[in-house]
Amino acid sequence: MKIAIAQMPVTTKKDENLQTACRYIHEAATAGASLVILPEMFNCPYTSRYFRDFAEPEGGHSWQTISRQAAQEGVCVVAGSMPELSGERIYNTSWVFDREGKQIARHRKTHLFDIQVEGGQHFRESDTFAAGSDVTIFSVDGVTMGLCICFDFRFPELARLLALEGAQVIVVPAAFNMTTGPMHWELMFRQRAVDNQVFTIGAAPARDKKADYVSYGNSILCSPWGKVLTRAEGEPQLLLAELDLTQVQAVRQQLPLLKARREDVYALTKAGGRHCNQSSG
């Protein structure tokens, strides 16, 4: 499977961001990609003061734009994330569209980014967003994939649940910053790949040093063995890569970690709501 990771620039103009996203999807499809992944907050600056103004309901303008582009290009698209308006609540939400532009999955960010790093980053998503409660999987060309958003990926329990649901690939639209990114970004994507013996994909916005929130960028793809297969730096870039899905089974046979779990000693269980979609894509 050929995938494309769109490390696109994001501005304060929504339509400009949507045009950029569509251009990246077109370039990816032209290059033969089956799946295109956009970054977290692809249509909106990652800054609290913009979230409510940019928020749209499911089926809104941004949703329709990416749905049409997926259908026009005949590719599956993980539409990064954007502010979703649902009644009085706003969620940090990712939608997935199949080759016909049909929505096949939705993930609302489960763990909100509320941090205070001494001498570094301060941010409170909970001032604006409500938390989702989903363990989200979908299927593209018969390949089961898990989906989470940025801070979600810091919680190993969620990644393990995705693997136990059958995920061979975990897709993560994310926007790490210049404090957490250099320390944790590659480390985390490699470790989650090793722990769960899956491919991990991180799609970040390009770095804009003039923005209120500066994205680390460094969109990344890691193998089930923990090897970095491709990685961007800070600038806008479309990463293209082939996934050899036979590696998942091969690694799991060589190191049978999932089979060797001691469920008689410990167990990981799901609780509460769960949004789970599977489609042939």
Side-chain angles (χ1 to χ4, degrees):
M1 175 184 289
K2 192 170 189 176
I3 62 109
I5 308 170
Q7 183 164 292
M8 54 173 275
V10 178
T11 73
T12 57
K13 298 179 180 180
K14 182 188 292 186
D15 284 340
E16 184 177 294
N17 296 331
L18 292 174
Q19 291 171 10
T20 300
C22 288
R23 186 177 74 250
Y24 274 79
I25 293 169
H26 172 72
E27 292 175 4
T30 301
S34 299
L35 175 68
V36 187
I37 303 144
L38 302 178
E40 183 178 23
M41 290 295 147
F42 75 93
N43 80 335
C44 173
Y46 189 75
T47 304
S48 297
R49 62 192 174 97
Y50 292 107
F51 292 154
R52 184 165 290 277
D53 289 342
F54 277 64
E56 300 176 16
E58 185 172 293
H61 175 56
S62 296
W63 187 101
Q64 291 182 24
T65 299
I66 303 303
S67 171
R68 284 195 302 267
Q69 192 70 14
Q72 180 176 315
E73 302 295 345
V75 295
C76 298
V77 179
V78 175
S81 82
M82 57 169 281
E84 176 205 359
L85 183 64
S86 180
E88 294 299 315
R89 294 184 174 183
I90 299 176
Y91 296 94
N92 185 342
T93 301
S94 178
W95 284 288
V96 183
F97 300 96
D98 68 11
R99 298 174 190 275
E100 297 177 349
K102 177 185 175 183
Q103 178 186 318
I104 58 172
R106 183 204 68 202
H107 180 74
R108 289 170 170 168
K109 193 172 187 177
T110 306
H111 304 87
L112 299 182
F113 185 56
D114 289 1
I115 67 159
Q116 176 68 65
V117 178
E118 185 175 352
Q121 190 72 41
H122 168 72
F123 207 95
R124 282 186 56 83
E125 275 193 326
S126 64
D127 287 344
T128 307
F129 291 123
S133 57
D134 305 334
V135 178
T136 306
I137 62 170
F138 62 98
S139 181
V140 175
D141 296 342
V143 179
T144 302
M145 301 188 178
L147 175 62
C148 59
I149 300 173
C150 200
F151 201 52
D152 286 339
F153 204 44
R154 285 189 175 274
F155 298 84
E157 300 91 342
L158 181 56
R160 175 52 56 87
L161 283 172
L162 293 170
L164 294 178
E165 289 284 342
Q168 298 169 274
V169 181
I170 298 179
V171 179
V172 190
F176 274 41
N177 55 64
M178 296 304 294
T179 300
T180 60
M183 291 298 296
H184 298 155
W185 177 263
E186 180 180 317
L187 172 69
M188 192 168 63
F189 277 90
R190 294 183 68 188
Q191 190 59 59
R192 295 290 175 270
V194 170
D195 288 344
N196 298 289
Q197 300 175 309
V198 295
F199 287 95
T200 57
I201 303 172
R207 189 180 305 162
D208 179 359
K209 295 181 180 179
K210 297 180 181 179
D212 295 337
Y213 180 98
V214 181
S215 169
Y216 179 56
N218 281 268
S219 295
I220 194 169
L221 167 65
C222 295
S223 77
W225 196 252
K227 180 180 180 181
V228 176
L229 299 178
T230 188
R231 178 173 173 171
E233 293 185 357
E235 70 282 353
Q237 187 174 352
L238 182 68
L239 292 177
L240 295 163
E242 296 277 355
L243 301 187
D244 178 1
L245 278 305
T246 63
Q247 289 185 32
V248 175
Q249 189 58 34
V251 170
R252 290 180 179 181
Q253 286 178 344
Q254 295 169 57
L255 294 171
L257 301 182
L258 297 180
K259 290 182 179 179
R261 289 177 301 121
R262 287 290 306 276
E263 292 186 285
D264 59 321
V265 177
Y266 53 82
L268 181 62
T269 60
K270 296 182 292 292
R274 182 167 67 106
H275 187 74
C276 179
N277 279 302
Q278 292 202 55
S279 167
S280 62

